[in-house]
Amino acid sequence: QVHLVESGGGLVQVGGSLTLSCAASGRRFSQHTMAWFRQAPGKEREFVAVISWAGMMTYYADSVKDRFTISRDNAKDTVDLQMSSLKPDDTAVYYCAAHAKPNLNNYASSDRYNYWGPGTQVTVSS
């Protein structure tokens, strides 16, 4: 059982940086695959980034590759998403998600994940 809460969202200018954090509670956080998704107004929820339970493997959506970095600190039960060179298209509600198995099968599918946070708003203005 895992509960997730995102924080760190806000309003930033184009080209700026922002770091989101996901705080997890519950048992065996380190055994969960963790991911970030986002949903922009009028669009479907889309995959952003994923990290394996031990932090050995990461994957990113093409739209954020080389701009975003996902990391986790199992000792603190947190998962971060460092965002830089932000664009207006990055504007969305960002969600933290967890899967209760330590593998990356179908990592980009939202249906894979057992737990979700309530989301945090990121707005990039020009």
Side-chain angles (χ1 to χ4, degrees), residues 10 12-21 35-39 46-51 58-72 79-95 120-124:
V12 298
Q13 292 187 343
V14 171
S17 299
L18 198 64
T19 297
L20 306 182
S21 183
W36 287 93
F37 287 77
R38 67 186 183 186
Q39 187 166 18
E46 67 173 345
F47 166 77
V48 175
V50 64
I51 187 167
T58 59
Y59 293 100
Y60 298 89
D62 289 341
S63 59
V64 306
K65 187 177 181 180
D66 298 324
R67 298 190 299 117
F68 291 11
T69 300
I70 187 172
S71 62
R72 69 189 298 165
V79 179
D80 288 353
L81 184 69
Q82 300 177 37
M83 306 182 294
S84 62
S85 301
L86 286 164
K87 307 174 181 179
D89 286 346
D90 295 320
T91 295
V93 176
Y94 284 71
Y95 298 93
T120 185
Q121 176 71 46
V122 173
T123 302
V124 184

Side-chain angles (χ1 to χ4, degrees), residues 73-126:
D73 186 339
N74 289 340
K76 297 181 179 180
D77 291 349
T78 57
V79 179
D80 288 353
L81 184 69
Q82 300 177 37
M83 306 182 294
S84 62
S85 301
L86 286 164
K87 307 174 181 179
D89 286 346
D90 295 320
T91 295
V93 176
Y94 284 71
Y95 298 93
C96 180
H99 177 58
K101 290 187 177 181
N103 65 72
L104 295 178
N105 296 339
N106 301 313
Y107 64 84
S109 175
S110 61
D111 293 338
R112 178 183 191 268
Y113 296 89
N114 306 98
Y115 308 104
W116 294 85
T120 185
Q121 176 71 46
V122 173
T123 302
V124 184
S125 66
S126 58

Side-chain angles (χ1 to χ4, degrees), residues 26-60:
R27 292 186 292 179
R28 297 193 295 174
F29 166 78
S30 63
Q31 301 299 312
H32 288 73
T33 300
M34 303 297 298
W36 287 93
F37 287 77
R38 67 186 183 186
Q39 187 166 18
K43 296 185 178 181
E44 298 293 327
R45 182 166 49 189
E46 67 173 345
F47 166 77
V48 175
V50 64
I51 187 167
S52 62
W53 69 272
M56 298 294 184
M57 298 291 293
T58 59
Y59 293 100
Y60 298 89

